[in-house]
């Protein structure tokens, strides 16, 4: 990651965290099961589209699914 990209990512996480959303978002994702995580990833609507196949999502572990969804939601929330 370049310095500018890293700075932008840190700023987004800091902004989201400072508004108290980080804990709410991460807690809500932590309790989701595999099927619900996959559904939310497949139906994510934000500034960008997540384009993962079911086959790929079936092969990765549940923590990776949580990471993908959390990153997408934080990015989407950080820009609002």
């Amino acid at each position: 990651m370049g310095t500018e990209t890293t700075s932008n990512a840190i700023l987004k996480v800091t902004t989201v965290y400072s508004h108290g959303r980080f804990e709410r978002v991460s807690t809500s994702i932590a309790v989701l099961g595999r099927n619900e995580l996959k559904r939310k990833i497949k139906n994510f609507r934000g500034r960008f589209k997540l384009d993962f196949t079911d086959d790929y999502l079936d092969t990765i572990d549940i923590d990776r699914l949580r990471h993908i969804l959390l990153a997408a939601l934080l990015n989407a929330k950080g820009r609002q």
Side-chain angles (χ1 to χ4, degrees):
M1 228 185 247
T3 303
E4 184 176 324
T5 304
T6 302
S7 295
N8 287 340
I10 291 170
L11 178 60
K12 288 177 188 176
V13 171
T14 302
T15 300
V16 171
Y17 186 78
S18 68
H19 290 109
R21 292 182 289 214
F22 179 81
E23 287 181 3
R24 285 193 307 272
V25 171
S26 59
T27 301
S28 67
I29 290 172
V31 298
L32 298 177
R34 174 176 287 280
N35 290 335
E36 186 65 12
L37 288 164
K38 284 176 47 181
R39 187 185 67 75
K40 288 185 177 288
I41 290 169
K42 297 287 283 182
N43 294 314
F44 177 79
R45 300 292 178 256
R47 294 181 311 112
F48 52 89
K49 181 171 175 23
L50 297 179
D51 188 23
F52 296 104
T53 64
D54 285 323
D55 289 338
Y56 175 74
L57 294 174
D58 288 337
T59 64
I60 60 177
D61 63 55
I62 196 163
D63 287 332
R64 177 70 67 170
L65 290 173
R66 288 184 179 119
H67 177 84
I68 291 169
L69 184 57
L70 179 62
L73 291 171
L74 289 179
N75 188 291
K77 299 285 185 195
R79 296 293 264 184
Q80 294 178 347

